[in-house]
Amino acid sequence: MRSAGPVYPAAPLHAERAGRGRVFAYGAAAGLLGDLLIGDPRRGHPVAAFGRAAAAVERALWRDHRGWGALHTAVCAGGATALAALAARSVRTSRTASVTLTAAATWAVVGGTSLGREARAVGGALAAGDIEAARERLPHLCGRDPQALDADGIARAVVESVAENTSDAVVGALVWGAVGGVPGLVGFRAVNTLDAMVGHKSPRYRRYGWASARLDDVAGWPGARLTAVLAAVAGGNPRGALRAWRADAGKHPSPNAGVVEASFAGALGVRLGGPLSYGGRVEHRPVLNGSGRPVEVADIERAVRLSRRVGWLALGVGALCAVLRDLASGRPTRSAVPTRPQRYQQDQPGGNS
């Protein structure tokens, strides 16, 4: 009579996790390359569809109250992240499908090419001396009042927007993608989009948008710091970038934008900050890198190139971290995997039955 042989356990949990880092690395690289080659579609963009859905939820829920705003944030950001998690789970058994989904999600949530395109359009108008055309294009890039800005003010606004959106539209998404895969990519973009929609201090959204703004601050924290570090590395003036970051970032009202803008200012050797106008409301922002020179039109192109270098470096950092985590989680343990095959044993005469 044969005794029951050893029962080999199913693949351990760490074996299921193994490979996720490589999926992110391959998929994110393909998605970032897709953004570089084709950019964002003019119609039918997934982020625009999310914005329409979030606006519909707002129409149903809006109250001048933080609690209702928090519910709006939970429904929209939580719903988008849950759908992304379901999509990722549905393709997890196929490496090819997982990479494809990651590539599509990365392409959908990053916006580096559109950021550079809009910045260059404003810079081209300024270089041609057409300030009215530059004012007309500026709202595509940021929410400032273009009529309150002269040519130098427009150029400064573009450089500041390129710096901030490098973190929001590229690096932050890649950071959360490296941490959480497709749900991380989609969740970060949903939070960032909600902040842009309702997270400002207008009378309508001062309370209702509070939760979205605070959540965006938390979600953007790691990406902003990585952006600042990579700007210092890639900008040609590491000491200047780090000095401006250390001295001036804390003066900015935003815990994340100040870090990124200060580092870009030091890396480019320019002076950012100062008065600005949003919808007729004037704000006096602190000066960042006060020892730098005023922004010139040519600095727009320099900022766009720095932004692109930072984006690709962020991909490299995120992919490397994800793959290293992949290797660590995929390492077999003695208790889970036998060191050598074991033979079935036969009962011997007089043995246990």
Side-chain angles (χ1 to χ4, degrees):
M1 176 178 180
R2 288 182 178 269
S3 65
V7 178
Y8 290 93
L13 183 60
H14 64 65
E16 182 180 337
R17 292 196 191 103
R20 292 183 184 179
R22 293 178 180 84
V23 165
F24 170 75
Y26 300 149
L32 203 60
L33 183 61
D35 177 67
L36 176 65
L37 296 177
I38 63 178
D40 294 331
R42 297 190 180 276
R43 294 182 180 180
H45 196 287
V47 175
F50 170 80
R52 290 191 294 272
V57 173
E58 179 190 341
R59 288 192 294 272
L61 295 180
W62 189 90
R63 306 287 189 281
D64 190 17
H65 191 275
R66 285 185 175 182
W68 286 94
L71 178 60
H72 173 254
T73 302
V75 168
C76 296
T81 306
L83 288 175
L86 287 174
R89 185 177 180 84
S90 69
V91 299
R92 66 181 180 180
T93 57
S94 169
R95 178 70 62 86
T96 300
S98 296
V99 170
T100 301
L101 179 63
T102 303
T106 302
W107 167 81
V109 305
V110 301
T113 295
S114 294
L115 174 63
R117 182 188 300 129
E118 294 297 335
R120 284 171 169 148
V122 177
L126 290 176
D130 192 347
I131 190 170
E132 290 304 321
R135 285 173 174 159
E136 184 178 348
R137 296 289 304 191
L138 187 62
H140 293 249
L141 192 63
C142 63
R144 300 184 192 182
D145 182 5
Q147 301 305 319
L149 299 173
D150 58 11
D152 292 340
I154 292 174
R156 176 170 64 85
V158 172
V159 172
E160 289 172 356
S161 296
V162 168
E164 182 177 0
N165 284 292
T166 299
S167 175
D168 289 344
V170 183
V171 180
L174 293 174
V175 166
W176 284 103
V179 172
V182 171
L185 287 164
V186 172
F188 175 81
R189 188 58 169 163
V191 169
N192 187 251
T193 302
L194 288 174
D195 178 61
M197 294 177 67
V198 305
H200 36 88
K201 296 181 179 180
S202 66
R204 177 178 175 85
Y205 295 122
R206 187 178 300 274
R207 294 184 182 87
Y208 188 82
W210 177 85
S212 291
R214 298 290 78 77
L215 183 58
D216 182 67
D217 287 343
V218 173
W221 196 95
R225 273 72 192 169
L226 179 59
T227 302
V229 170
L230 296 179
V233 171
N237 188 1
R239 290 185 179 180
L242 295 175
R243 182 172 58 249
W245 177 1
R246 183 171 58 251
D248 300 327
K251 303 174 186 176
H252 198 284
S254 169
N256 296 327
V259 170
V260 176
E261 291 179 20
S263 183
F264 262 68
L268 296 171
V270 300
R271 184 168 63 250
L272 299 178
L276 53 85
S277 176
Y278 284 104
R281 186 182 76 254
V282 176
E283 293 185 15
H284 295 276
R285 294 283 177 86
V287 173
L288 306 176
N289 193 38
S291 61
R293 58 174 175 76
V295 176
E296 301 172 353
V297 174
D299 293 317
I300 293 176
E301 179 63 28
R302 295 178 62 221
V304 170
R305 290 180 179 178
L306 176 57
S307 173
R308 181 161 292 177
R309 291 196 296 272
V310 167
W312 284 104
L313 286 174
L315 171 65
V317 171
L320 177 61
C321 291
V323 169
L324 289 177
R325 186 189 63 218
D326 195 45
L327 292 174
S329 64
R331 188 175 298 135
T333 60
R334 291 181 181 179
S335 60
V337 180
T339 56
R340 59 183 180 182
Q342 299 180 14
R343 297 180 182 275
Y344 286 103
Q345 297 177 350
Q346 283 186 314
D347 288 339
Q348 301 296 327
N352 295 330
S353 59

